[in-house]
Amino acid sequence: MTGLPWDASYLAGPAPWDTGGPQPAVVRLASEGGFTGAVLDAGCGTGDNALHLASLGLSVLGVDVAETALAIAREKATERGIAVEFAAADAFGLQRLGRRFDTVLDCGLFHTFDIDERVGYVASLASVTEADGTLYVLCFSDEGPDTGPHPVSHEELRAAFNPGSGWNVAGIQPDRLNTRYHDEDGAPAWLATIKRGADRAKHRRPVTHQLA
Ligand SMILES: C[S@@+](CC[C@H](N)C(=O)[O-])C[C@H]1O[C@@H](n2cnc3c(N)ncnc32)[C@H](O)[C@@H]1O
């Protein structure tokens, strides 16, 4: 939304997506008990979602490539006295964290990647998510007026998180994503709930023919 490299987006005041608070969809999901165990916020920006989840007592790691965003996130954590971790990490190499998570949040990151990039990102997410873990993707939707840049369709979400990639899409609900450039109702979004699952294609038993 800025057209700038990620870190530069954070240098001259708040970036367009940096609303200064957690996304209402994340707050609601958390109040419904959607986040459990160790939580990863992939592409956490200045950390408002991660900080909200950590303030509820969850163990949260927020990662981003933008050091300026991480510095702001750490400052907020200190000011608010919230125990939360922020670390520099590339979403395409999450396995390098050497950690695993029960719940993963992607708020506004997936929709920034091209179709070609999604395969690597989806595999990277799988590498750090527990076998029965859950991923939430909150992204701009291709439906409705005044959506954000890089809107995503149901089909694109299902294609990226297909069972062969080790994921199963449990549901995709219409939601809203707040930005600094939409009114208080935010932009049309999808909230996809995606379960980590066995790569059925790899584990499928070989077909055998029974003799009559
Ligand atoms: C649209 S912003 C959303 C930030 C935050 N989730 C929020 O809701 O405010 C996308 C974020 O992903 C980060 N990002 C982009 N590519 C990344 C990558 N390969 N690995 C980790 N973070 C990345 C950007 O620096 C940026 O902070």
Side-chain angles (χ1 to χ4, degrees), residues 14-171:
W17 53 85
D18 196 3
T19 60
Q23 288 289 338
V26 173
V27 174
R28 190 191 64 243
L29 206 48
S31 74
E32 294 166 355
F35 292 87
T36 55
V39 177
L40 174 68
D41 181 359
C44 63
T46 68
D48 285 305
N49 293 315
L51 285 157
H52 175 70
L53 298 174
S55 75
L56 302 176
L58 289 153
S59 158
V60 186
L61 171 65
V63 299
D64 206 286
V65 286
E67 292 283 2
T68 303
L70 292 168
I72 296 169
R74 290 188 191 107
E75 234 172 72
K76 289 183 195 172
T78 305
E79 276 166 15
R80 299 177 201 176
I82 297 173
V84 54
E85 280 181 277
F86 291 108
D90 184 354
F92 291 93
L94 293 171
Q95 64 280 3
R96 287 197 283 275
L97 292 170
R99 290 167 62 169
R100 293 182 78 77
F101 302 89
D102 302 284
T103 318
V104 179
L105 172 66
D106 171 323
C107 177
L109 180 57
F110 175 81
H111 66 203
T112 70
F113 296 138
D114 294 339
I115 288 180
D116 291 351
E117 293 174 307
R118 291 177 188 165
V119 176
Y121 175 55
V122 165
S124 174
L125 288 172
S127 73
V128 294
T129 308
E130 293 290 2
D132 57 350
T134 304
L135 163 70
Y136 297 110
V137 175
L138 186 62
C139 59
F140 290 129
S141 133
D142 63 335
E143 278 183 15
D146 200 20
T147 191
H150 312 294
V152 168
S153 67
H154 271 211
E155 292 71 29
E156 284 176 86
L157 284 161
R158 291 190 186 281
F161 295 97
N162 66 79
S165 70
W167 293 99
N168 291 297
V169 176

